[in-house]
mmCIF file of all heavy atoms in Angstrom:
data_model
loop_
_atom_site.group_PDB
_atom_site.id
_atom_site.type_symbol
_atom_site.label_atom_id
_atom_site.label_comp_id
_atom_site.label_asym_id
_atom_site.label_seq_id
_atom_site.Cartn_x
_atom_site.Cartn_y
_atom_site.Cartn_z
ATOM 1 N N ASN A 90 0.863 -1.185 -0.004
ATOM 2 C CA ASN A 90 0.003 0.014 0.011
ATOM 3 C C ASN A 90 0.889 1.244 0.004
ATOM 4 O O ASN A 90 1.846 1.317 0.764
ATOM 5 C CB ASN A 90 -0.899 0.035 1.218
ATOM 6 C CG ASN A 90 -1.826 1.207 1.213
ATOM 7 O OD1 ASN A 90 -2.602 1.376 0.281
ATOM 8 N ND2 ASN A 90 -1.689 2.091 2.197
ATOM 9 N N LEU A 91 0.585 2.174 -0.861
ATOM 10 C CA LEU A 91 1.326 3.412 -0.952
ATOM 11 C C LEU A 91 0.419 4.592 -0.635
ATOM 12 O O LEU A 91 -0.759 4.611 -1.024
ATOM 13 C CB LEU A 91 1.931 3.602 -2.346
ATOM 14 C CG LEU A 91 2.878 2.477 -2.800
ATOM 15 C CD1 LEU A 91 3.259 2.647 -4.251
ATOM 16 C CD2 LEU A 91 4.098 2.455 -1.899
ATOM 17 N N ASN A 92 0.942 5.555 0.093
ATOM 18 C CA ASN A 92 0.209 6.760 0.443
ATOM 19 C C ASN A 92 0.078 7.637 -0.788
ATOM 20 O O ASN A 92 1.090 8.136 -1.297
ATOM 21 C CB ASN A 92 0.932 7.487 1.574
ATOM 22 C CG ASN A 92 0.149 8.666 2.094
ATOM 23 O OD1 ASN A 92 -0.388 9.455 1.361
ATOM 24 N ND2 ASN A 92 0.131 8.762 3.406
ATOM 25 N N PRO A 93 -1.141 7.824 -1.309
ATOM 26 C CA PRO A 93 -1.283 8.561 -2.590
ATOM 27 C C PRO A 93 -0.850 10.019 -2.511
ATOM 28 O O PRO A 93 -0.349 10.558 -3.494
ATOM 29 C CB PRO A 93 -2.767 8.425 -2.892
ATOM 30 C CG PRO A 93 -3.419 8.156 -1.598
ATOM 31 C CD PRO A 93 -2.420 7.388 -0.779
ATOM 32 N N ILE A 94 -1.045 10.668 -1.369
ATOM 33 C CA ILE A 94 -0.672 12.076 -1.241
ATOM 34 C C ILE A 94 0.832 12.194 -1.239
ATOM 35 O O ILE A 94 1.404 13.012 -1.966
ATOM 36 C CB ILE A 94 -1.312 12.678 0.012
ATOM 37 C CG1 ILE A 94 -2.817 12.663 -0.097
ATOM 38 C CG2 ILE A 94 -0.799 14.097 0.239
ATOM 39 C CD1 ILE A 94 -3.547 12.987 1.211
ATOM 40 N N LEU A 95 1.521 11.388 -0.430
ATOM 41 C CA LEU A 95 2.968 11.440 -0.388
ATOM 42 C C LEU A 95 3.569 11.005 -1.722
ATOM 43 O O LEU A 95 4.589 11.538 -2.156
ATOM 44 C CB LEU A 95 3.507 10.589 0.774
ATOM 45 C CG LEU A 95 3.208 11.103 2.160
ATOM 46 C CD1 LEU A 95 3.736 10.172 3.216
ATOM 47 C CD2 LEU A 95 3.762 12.523 2.372
ATOM 48 N N TYR A 96 2.937 10.032 -2.405
ATOM 49 C CA TYR A 96 3.437 9.610 -3.718
ATOM 50 C C TYR A 96 3.356 10.790 -4.720
ATOM 51 O O TYR A 96 4.320 11.041 -5.422
ATOM 52 C CB TYR A 96 2.629 8.418 -4.221
ATOM 53 C CG TYR A 96 2.989 8.065 -5.643
ATOM 54 C CD1 TYR A 96 4.215 7.502 -5.952
ATOM 55 C CD2 TYR A 96 2.094 8.334 -6.695
ATOM 56 C CE1 TYR A 96 4.547 7.165 -7.270
ATOM 57 C CE2 TYR A 96 2.437 8.009 -7.992
ATOM 58 C CZ TYR A 96 3.658 7.434 -8.276
ATOM 59 O OH TYR A 96 3.988 7.133 -9.559
ATOM 60 N N LYS A 97 2.261 11.469 -4.734
ATOM 61 C CA LYS A 97 2.065 12.561 -5.661
ATOM 62 C C LYS A 97 3.154 13.648 -5.422
ATOM 63 O O LYS A 97 3.659 14.231 -6.382
ATOM 64 C CB LYS A 97 0.671 13.149 -5.500
ATOM 65 C CG LYS A 97 0.362 14.267 -6.459
ATOM 66 C CD LYS A 97 -1.051 14.766 -6.281
ATOM 67 C CE LYS A 97 -1.315 15.929 -7.198
ATOM 68 N NZ LYS A 97 -2.647 16.516 -6.996
ATOM 69 N N GLU A 98 3.454 13.903 -4.162
ATOM 70 C CA GLU A 98 4.419 14.951 -3.819
ATOM 71 C C GLU A 98 5.870 14.524 -3.910
ATOM 72 O O GLU A 98 6.749 15.376 -3.915
ATOM 73 C CB GLU A 98 4.145 15.458 -2.404
ATOM 74 C CG GLU A 98 2.766 16.120 -2.263
ATOM 75 C CD GLU A 98 2.433 16.497 -0.819
ATOM 76 O OE1 GLU A 98 3.177 16.111 0.104
ATOM 77 O OE2 GLU A 98 1.423 17.183 -0.641
ATOM 78 N N ASN A 99 6.148 13.211 -3.985
ATOM 79 C CA ASN A 99 7.513 12.692 -3.916
ATOM 80 C C ASN A 99 7.751 11.537 -4.885
ATOM 81 O O ASN A 99 8.343 10.533 -4.495
ATOM 82 C CB ASN A 99 7.834 12.238 -2.478
ATOM 83 C CG ASN A 99 7.591 13.304 -1.450
ATOM 84 O OD1 ASN A 99 8.387 14.201 -1.273
ATOM 85 N ND2 ASN A 99 6.446 13.234 -0.791
ATOM 86 N N GLN A 100 7.273 11.637 -6.095
ATOM 87 C CA GLN A 100 7.300 10.503 -7.027
ATOM 88 C C GLN A 100 8.691 9.957 -7.260
ATOM 89 O O GLN A 100 8.881 8.752 -7.248
ATOM 90 C CB GLN A 100 6.641 10.877 -8.360
ATOM 91 C CG GLN A 100 5.160 10.996 -8.257
ATOM 92 C CD GLN A 100 4.502 11.273 -9.572
ATOM 93 O OE1 GLN A 100 5.015 10.883 -10.623
ATOM 94 N NE2 GLN A 100 3.336 11.905 -9.565
ATOM 95 N N ALA A 101 9.670 10.805 -7.449
ATOM 96 C CA ALA A 101 11.032 10.311 -7.700
ATOM 97 C C ALA A 101 11.544 9.470 -6.548
ATOM 98 O O ALA A 101 12.112 8.390 -6.766
ATOM 99 C CB ALA A 101 11.963 11.488 -7.982
ATOM 100 N N ALA A 102 11.362 9.943 -5.324
ATOM 101 C CA ALA A 102 11.857 9.193 -4.164
ATOM 102 C C ALA A 102 11.069 7.896 -3.993
ATOM 103 O O ALA A 102 11.626 6.888 -3.530
ATOM 104 C CB ALA A 102 11.714 10.058 -2.903
ATOM 105 N N PHE A 103 9.798 7.864 -4.344
ATOM 106 C CA PHE A 103 9.035 6.640 -4.256
ATOM 107 C C PHE A 103 9.632 5.596 -5.222
ATOM 108 O O PHE A 103 9.820 4.444 -4.846
ATOM 109 C CB PHE A 103 7.564 6.865 -4.590
ATOM 110 C CG PHE A 103 6.710 7.111 -3.384
ATOM 111 C CD1 PHE A 103 6.791 8.266 -2.674
ATOM 112 C CD2 PHE A 103 5.826 6.132 -2.945
ATOM 113 C CE1 PHE A 103 6.023 8.532 -1.564
ATOM 114 C CE2 PHE A 103 5.034 6.337 -1.814
ATOM 115 C CZ PHE A 103 5.132 7.532 -1.130
ATOM 116 N N LEU A 104 9.959 6.074 -6.431
ATOM 117 C CA LEU A 104 10.489 5.127 -7.413
ATOM 118 C C LEU A 104 11.909 4.650 -7.100
ATOM 119 O O LEU A 104 12.283 3.539 -7.465
ATOM 120 C CB LEU A 104 10.459 5.756 -8.804
ATOM 121 C CG LEU A 104 9.041 6.095 -9.319
ATOM 122 C CD1 LEU A 104 9.102 6.810 -10.648
ATOM 123 C CD2 LEU A 104 8.181 4.857 -9.423
ATOM 124 N N THR A 105 12.677 5.469 -6.371
ATOM 125 C CA THR A 105 14.053 5.025 -6.080
ATOM 126 C C THR A 105 14.169 4.350 -4.738
ATOM 127 O O THR A 105 15.045 3.501 -4.560
ATOM 128 C CB THR A 105 15.025 6.246 -6.136
ATOM 129 O OG1 THR A 105 14.589 7.236 -5.189
ATOM 130 C CG2 THR A 105 15.113 6.820 -7.519
ATOM 131 N N ASP A 106 13.348 4.730 -3.753
ATOM 132 C CA ASP A 106 13.529 4.251 -2.375
ATOM 133 C C ASP A 106 12.363 3.495 -1.784
ATOM 134 O O ASP A 106 12.492 2.385 -1.312
ATOM 135 C CB ASP A 106 13.877 5.406 -1.457
ATOM 136 C CG ASP A 106 15.192 6.100 -1.791
ATOM 137 O OD1 ASP A 106 15.996 5.464 -2.502
ATOM 138 O OD2 ASP A 106 15.401 7.213 -1.347
ATOM 139 N N VAL A 107 11.180 4.132 -1.791
ATOM 140 C CA VAL A 107 10.034 3.595 -1.058
ATOM 141 C C VAL A 107 9.573 2.234 -1.619
ATOM 142 O O VAL A 107 9.359 1.295 -0.840
ATOM 143 C CB VAL A 107 8.862 4.592 -1.070
ATOM 144 C CG1 VAL A 107 7.632 3.974 -0.391
ATOM 145 C CG2 VAL A 107 9.274 5.895 -0.371
ATOM 146 N N ILE A 108 9.480 2.134 -2.902
ATOM 147 C CA ILE A 108 9.034 0.845 -3.488
ATOM 148 C C ILE A 108 10.037 -0.247 -3.224
ATOM 149 O O ILE A 108 9.673 -1.380 -2.877
ATOM 150 C CB ILE A 108 8.705 1.017 -5.003
ATOM 151 C CG1 ILE A 108 7.507 1.984 -5.142
ATOM 152 C CG2 ILE A 108 8.389 -0.328 -5.630
ATOM 153 C CD1 ILE A 108 7.224 2.413 -6.547
ATOM 154 N N ALA A 109 11.322 0.059 -3.345
ATOM 155 C CA ALA A 109 12.355 -0.936 -3.018
ATOM 156 C C ALA A 109 12.284 -1.338 -1.554
ATOM 157 O O ALA A 109 12.436 -2.527 -1.204
ATOM 158 C CB ALA A 109 13.750 -0.367 -3.358
ATOM 159 N N HIS A 110 11.999 -0.373 -0.695
ATOM 160 C CA HIS A 110 11.877 -0.645 0.757
ATOM 161 C C HIS A 110 10.751 -1.638 1.007
ATOM 162 O O HIS A 110 10.952 -2.655 1.718
ATOM 163 C CB HIS A 110 11.568 0.685 1.462
ATOM 164 C CG HIS A 110 11.357 0.586 2.927
ATOM 165 N ND1 HIS A 110 12.163 1.236 3.831
ATOM 166 C CD2 HIS A 110 10.417 -0.054 3.659
ATOM 167 C CE1 HIS A 110 11.745 0.980 5.072
ATOM 168 N NE2 HIS A 110 10.657 0.214 4.986
ATOM 169 N N GLU A 111 9.597 -1.423 0.420
ATOM 170 C CA GLU A 111 8.443 -2.297 0.650
ATOM 171 C C GLU A 111 8.618 -3.653 -0.034
ATOM 172 O O GLU A 111 8.267 -4.689 0.541
ATOM 173 C CB GLU A 111 7.148 -1.626 0.190
ATOM 174 C CG GLU A 111 6.868 -0.289 0.890
ATOM 175 C CD GLU A 111 6.941 -0.344 2.410
ATOM 176 O OE1 GLU A 111 6.715 -1.407 3.029
ATOM 177 O OE2 GLU A 111 7.217 0.717 3.012
ATOM 178 N N ILE A 112 9.179 -3.655 -1.218
ATOM 179 C CA ILE A 112 9.446 -4.941 -1.893
ATOM 180 C C ILE A 112 10.435 -5.750 -1.087
ATOM 181 O O ILE A 112 10.304 -6.982 -0.981
ATOM 182 C CB ILE A 112 9.898 -4.739 -3.357
ATOM 183 C CG1 ILE A 112 8.736 -4.247 -4.221
ATOM 184 C CG2 ILE A 112 10.526 -6.006 -3.923
ATOM 185 C CD1 ILE A 112 9.118 -3.896 -5.628
ATOM 186 N N SER A 113 11.411 -5.113 -0.503
ATOM 187 C CA SER A 113 12.384 -5.822 0.337
ATOM 188 C C SER A 113 11.695 -6.524 1.496
ATOM 189 O O SER A 113 12.054 -7.661 1.827
ATOM 190 C CB SER A 113 13.467 -4.873 0.854
ATOM 191 O OG SER A 113 14.251 -4.351 -0.200
ATOM 192 N N HIS A 114 10.708 -5.894 2.094
ATOM 193 C CA HIS A 114 9.942 -6.552 3.163
ATOM 194 C C HIS A 114 9.282 -7.821 2.653
ATOM 195 O O HIS A 114 9.309 -8.876 3.291
ATOM 196 C CB HIS A 114 8.882 -5.621 3.732
ATOM 197 C CG HIS A 114 9.405 -4.574 4.650
ATOM 198 N ND1 HIS A 114 10.142 -4.857 5.798
ATOM 199 C CD2 HIS A 114 9.314 -3.214 4.617
ATOM 200 C CE1 HIS A 114 10.462 -3.744 6.410
ATOM 201 N NE2 HIS A 114 9.973 -2.727 5.729
ATOM 202 N N LEU A 115 8.639 -7.728 1.464
ATOM 203 C CA LEU A 115 7.946 -8.905 0.909
ATOM 204 C C LEU A 115 8.954 -10.017 0.587
ATOM 205 O O LEU A 115 8.693 -11.192 0.874
ATOM 206 C CB LEU A 115 7.190 -8.499 -0.366
ATOM 207 C CG LEU A 115 6.039 -7.506 -0.176
ATOM 208 C CD1 LEU A 115 5.412 -7.191 -1.518
ATOM 209 C CD2 LEU A 115 5.013 -8.047 0.787
ATOM 210 N N LEU A 116 10.092 -9.638 0.018
ATOM 211 C CA LEU A 116 11.100 -10.641 -0.316
ATOM 212 C C LEU A 116 11.666 -11.336 0.921
ATOM 213 O O LEU A 116 11.833 -12.543 0.942
ATOM 214 C CB LEU A 116 12.240 -10.028 -1.122
ATOM 215 C CG LEU A 116 11.870 -9.480 -2.517
ATOM 216 C CD1 LEU A 116 13.055 -8.745 -3.139
ATOM 217 C CD2 LEU A 116 11.372 -10.619 -3.403
ATOM 218 N N VAL A 117 11.920 -10.561 1.972
ATOM 219 C CA VAL A 117 12.409 -11.129 3.218
ATOM 220 C C VAL A 117 11.435 -12.131 3.761
ATOM 221 O O VAL A 117 11.759 -13.245 4.195
ATOM 222 C CB VAL A 117 12.749 -10.030 4.251
ATOM 223 C CG1 VAL A 117 12.947 -10.627 5.656
ATOM 224 C CG2 VAL A 117 13.980 -9.253 3.837
ATOM 225 N N TRP A 118 10.153 -11.783 3.758
ATOM 226 C CA TRP A 118 9.084 -12.673 4.236
ATOM 227 C C TRP A 118 9.100 -13.989 3.429
ATOM 228 O O TRP A 118 9.016 -15.078 4.007
ATOM 229 C CB TRP A 118 7.755 -11.991 4.145
ATOM 230 C CG TRP A 118 6.571 -12.864 4.412
ATOM 231 C CD1 TRP A 118 5.702 -13.349 3.502
ATOM 232 C CD2 TRP A 118 6.128 -13.329 5.693
ATOM 233 N NE1 TRP A 118 4.751 -14.111 4.121
ATOM 234 C CE2 TRP A 118 4.970 -14.108 5.485
ATOM 235 C CE3 TRP A 118 6.583 -13.165 7.005
ATOM 236 C CZ2 TRP A 118 4.271 -14.734 6.514
ATOM 237 C CZ3 TRP A 118 5.896 -13.782 8.024
ATOM 238 C CH2 TRP A 118 4.770 -14.563 7.766
ATOM 239 N N GLN A 119 9.185 -13.877 2.121
ATOM 240 C CA GLN A 119 9.131 -15.055 1.262
ATOM 241 C C GLN A 119 10.401 -15.920 1.363
ATOM 242 O O GLN A 119 10.315 -17.154 1.237
ATOM 243 C CB GLN A 119 8.878 -14.619 -0.192
ATOM 244 C CG GLN A 119 7.487 -14.048 -0.364
ATOM 245 C CD GLN A 119 7.313 -13.285 -1.645
ATOM 246 O OE1 GLN A 119 8.149 -13.281 -2.524
ATOM 247 N NE2 GLN A 119 6.146 -12.608 -1.767
ATOM 248 N N LEU A 120 11.522 -15.273 1.637
ATOM 249 C CA LEU A 120 12.783 -16.037 1.731
ATOM 250 C C LEU A 120 13.057 -16.580 3.118
ATOM 251 O O LEU A 120 13.582 -17.663 3.263
ATOM 252 C CB LEU A 120 13.947 -15.131 1.316
ATOM 253 C CG LEU A 120 14.024 -14.758 -0.166
ATOM 254 C CD1 LEU A 120 14.981 -13.599 -0.392
ATOM 255 C CD2 LEU A 120 14.488 -15.972 -0.967
ATOM 256 N N PHE A 121 12.754 -15.800 4.151
ATOM 257 C CA PHE A 121 13.196 -16.133 5.526
ATOM 258 C C PHE A 121 12.065 -16.300 6.529
ATOM 259 O O PHE A 121 12.318 -16.666 7.672
ATOM 260 C CB PHE A 121 14.167 -15.050 6.028
ATOM 261 C CG PHE A 121 15.310 -14.775 5.101
ATOM 262 C CD1 PHE A 121 15.358 -13.647 4.318
ATOM 263 C CD2 PHE A 121 16.354 -15.690 4.998
ATOM 264 C CE1 PHE A 121 16.405 -13.405 3.465
ATOM 265 C CE2 PHE A 121 17.407 -15.461 4.140
ATOM 266 C CZ PHE A 121 17.432 -14.301 3.370
ATOM 267 N N GLY A 122 10.827 -15.936 6.159
ATOM 268 C CA GLY A 122 9.741 -15.970 7.115
ATOM 269 C C GLY A 122 9.809 -14.812 8.086
ATOM 270 O O GLY A 122 10.249 -13.735 7.762
ATOM 271 N N LYS A 123 9.334 -15.084 9.290
ATOM 272 C CA LYS A 123 9.252 -13.988 10.290
ATOM 273 C C LYS A 123 10.620 -13.689 10.907
ATOM 274 O O LYS A 123 11.195 -14.503 11.619
ATOM 275 C CB LYS A 123 8.273 -14.406 11.388
ATOM 276 C CG LYS A 123 7.975 -13.323 12.372
ATOM 277 C CD LYS A 123 6.930 -13.724 13.386
ATOM 278 C CE LYS A 123 6.650 -12.573 14.342
ATOM 279 N NZ LYS A 123 5.604 -12.891 15.282
ATOM 280 N N VAL A 124 11.104 -12.503 10.595
ATOM 281 C CA VAL A 124 12.371 -12.003 11.135
ATOM 282 C C VAL A 124 12.161 -10.528 11.478
ATOM 283 O O VAL A 124 11.104 -9.970 11.196
ATOM 284 C CB VAL A 124 13.561 -12.192 10.146
ATOM 285 C CG1 VAL A 124 13.830 -13.648 9.861
ATOM 286 C CG2 VAL A 124 13.294 -11.424 8.832
ATOM 287 N N ALA A 125 13.165 -9.907 12.059
ATOM 288 C CA ALA A 125 13.070 -8.460 12.379
ATOM 289 C C ALA A 125 12.744 -7.654 11.140
ATOM 290 O O ALA A 125 13.389 -7.864 10.097
ATOM 291 C CB ALA A 125 14.382 -8.004 13.019
ATOM 292 N N PRO A 126 11.799 -6.724 11.227
ATOM 293 C CA PRO A 126 11.372 -5.980 10.029
ATOM 294 C C PRO A 126 12.475 -5.261 9.290
ATOM 295 O O PRO A 126 12.470 -5.257 8.064
ATOM 296 C CB PRO A 126 10.348 -4.977 10.601
ATOM 297 C CG PRO A 126 9.887 -5.555 11.886
ATOM 298 C CD PRO A 126 11.058 -6.355 12.437
ATOM 299 N N HIS A 127 13.381 -4.652 9.980
ATOM 300 C CA HIS A 127 14.504 -3.946 9.321
ATOM 301 C C HIS A 127 15.830 -4.575 9.743
ATOM 302 O O HIS A 127 16.818 -3.881 9.880
ATOM 303 C CB HIS A 127 14.468 -2.447 9.652
ATOM 304 C CG HIS A 127 13.220 -1.778 9.142
ATOM 305 N ND1 HIS A 127 12.256 -1.270 9.970
ATOM 306 C CD2 HIS A 127 12.774 -1.577 7.871
ATOM 307 C CE1 HIS A 127 11.265 -0.747 9.239
ATOM 308 N NE2 HIS A 127 11.561 -0.934 7.973
ATOM 309 N N GLY A 128 15.795 -5.869 9.848
ATOM 310 C CA GLY A 128 17.008 -6.625 10.277
ATOM 311 C C GLY A 128 18.000 -6.817 9.181
ATOM 312 O O GLY A 128 17.913 -6.230 8.081
ATOM 313 N N ILE A 129 18.968 -7.652 9.439
ATOM 314 C CA ILE A 129 20.122 -7.840 8.521
ATOM 315 C C ILE A 129 19.652 -8.371 7.153
ATOM 316 O O ILE A 129 20.202 -7.992 6.103
ATOM 317 C CB ILE A 129 21.199 -8.719 9.172
ATOM 318 C CG1 ILE A 129 22.477 -8.725 8.313
ATOM 319 C CG2 ILE A 129 20.708 -10.152 9.345
ATOM 320 C CD1 ILE A 129 23.191 -7.368 8.307
ATOM 321 N N GLN A 130 18.641 -9.220 7.130
ATOM 322 C CA GLN A 130 18.176 -9.766 5.833
ATOM 323 C C GLN A 130 17.592 -8.613 4.973
ATOM 324 O O GLN A 130 17.915 -8.523 3.793
ATOM 325 C CB GLN A 130 17.091 -10.823 6.069
ATOM 326 C CG GLN A 130 17.569 -12.021 6.817
ATOM 327 C CD GLN A 130 17.360 -11.918 8.324
ATOM 328 O OE1 GLN A 130 17.128 -10.830 8.876
ATOM 329 N NE2 GLN A 130 17.477 -13.051 9.031
ATOM 330 N N TRP A 131 16.778 -7.784 5.586
ATOM 331 C CA TRP A 131 16.171 -6.677 4.873
ATOM 332 C C TRP A 131 17.254 -5.682 4.429
ATOM 333 O O TRP A 131 17.253 -5.236 3.268
ATOM 334 C CB TRP A 131 15.143 -5.963 5.758
ATOM 335 C CG TRP A 131 14.497 -4.794 5.132
ATOM 336 C CD1 TRP A 131 13.417 -4.770 4.304
ATOM 337 C CD2 TRP A 131 14.895 -3.428 5.293
ATOM 338 N NE1 TRP A 131 13.131 -3.494 3.938
ATOM 339 C CE2 TRP A 131 14.035 -2.619 4.539
ATOM 340 C CE3 TRP A 131 15.940 -2.796 5.991
ATOM 341 C CZ2 TRP A 131 14.153 -1.263 4.447
ATOM 342 C CZ3 TRP A 131 16.056 -1.420 5.934
ATOM 343 C CH2 TRP A 131 15.143 -0.648 5.139
ATOM 344 N N GLN A 132 18.171 -5.376 5.298
ATOM 345 C CA GLN A 132 19.251 -4.418 4.969
ATOM 346 C C GLN A 132 20.111 -4.965 3.826
ATOM 347 O O GLN A 132 20.490 -4.211 2.924
ATOM 348 C CB GLN A 132 20.126 -4.173 6.198
ATOM 349 C CG GLN A 132 19.407 -3.410 7.273
ATOM 350 C CD GLN A 132 20.250 -3.277 8.542
ATOM 351 O OE1 GLN A 132 21.455 -3.148 8.462
ATOM 352 N NE2 GLN A 132 19.581 -3.329 9.695
ATOM 353 N N THR A 133 20.369 -6.251 3.856
ATOM 354 C CA THR A 133 21.168 -6.850 2.794
ATOM 355 C C THR A 133 20.494 -6.753 1.442
ATOM 356 O O THR A 133 21.131 -6.408 0.426
ATOM 357 C CB THR A 133 21.471 -8.337 3.127
ATOM 358 O OG1 THR A 133 22.206 -8.365 4.379
ATOM 359 C CG2 THR A 133 22.283 -9.005 2.030
ATOM 360 N N ILE A 134 19.198 -7.032 1.392
ATOM 361 C CA ILE A 134 18.487 -6.925 0.126
ATOM 362 C C ILE A 134 18.467 -5.476 -0.355
ATOM 363 O O ILE A 134 18.718 -5.204 -1.547
ATOM 364 C CB ILE A 134 17.042 -7.468 0.273
ATOM 365 C CG1 ILE A 134 17.087 -8.978 0.437
ATOM 366 C CG2 ILE A 134 16.172 -7.082 -0.920
ATOM 367 C CD1 ILE A 134 15.788 -9.638 0.747
ATOM 368 N N MET A 135 18.212 -4.527 0.542
ATOM 369 C CA MET A 135 18.238 -3.123 0.142
ATOM 370 C C MET A 135 19.592 -2.723 -0.499
ATOM 371 O O MET A 135 19.600 -2.089 -1.550
ATOM 372 C CB MET A 135 17.971 -2.216 1.336
ATOM 373 C CG MET A 135 16.535 -2.258 1.853
ATOM 374 S SD MET A 135 15.388 -1.426 0.738
ATOM 375 C CE MET A 135 15.737 0.268 1.089
ATOM 376 N N VAL A 136 20.681 -3.112 0.122
ATOM 377 C CA VAL A 136 22.017 -2.724 -0.335
ATOM 378 C C VAL A 136 22.517 -3.566 -1.504
ATOM 379 O O VAL A 136 22.895 -3.016 -2.545
ATOM 380 C CB VAL A 136 23.018 -2.751 0.849
ATOM 381 C CG1 VAL A 136 24.441 -2.515 0.367
ATOM 382 C CG2 VAL A 136 22.637 -1.746 1.916
#
């Protein structure tokens, strides 16, 4: 889910950061199951 008001005001940052941030959460869940939300697995995928 994306905040439509913040998306409208910050489209470039959404495309470079926010969507990657949220997709990383989904990937971590699918790869590792329940782990810390912004833990090492999530950080590794982001970087």
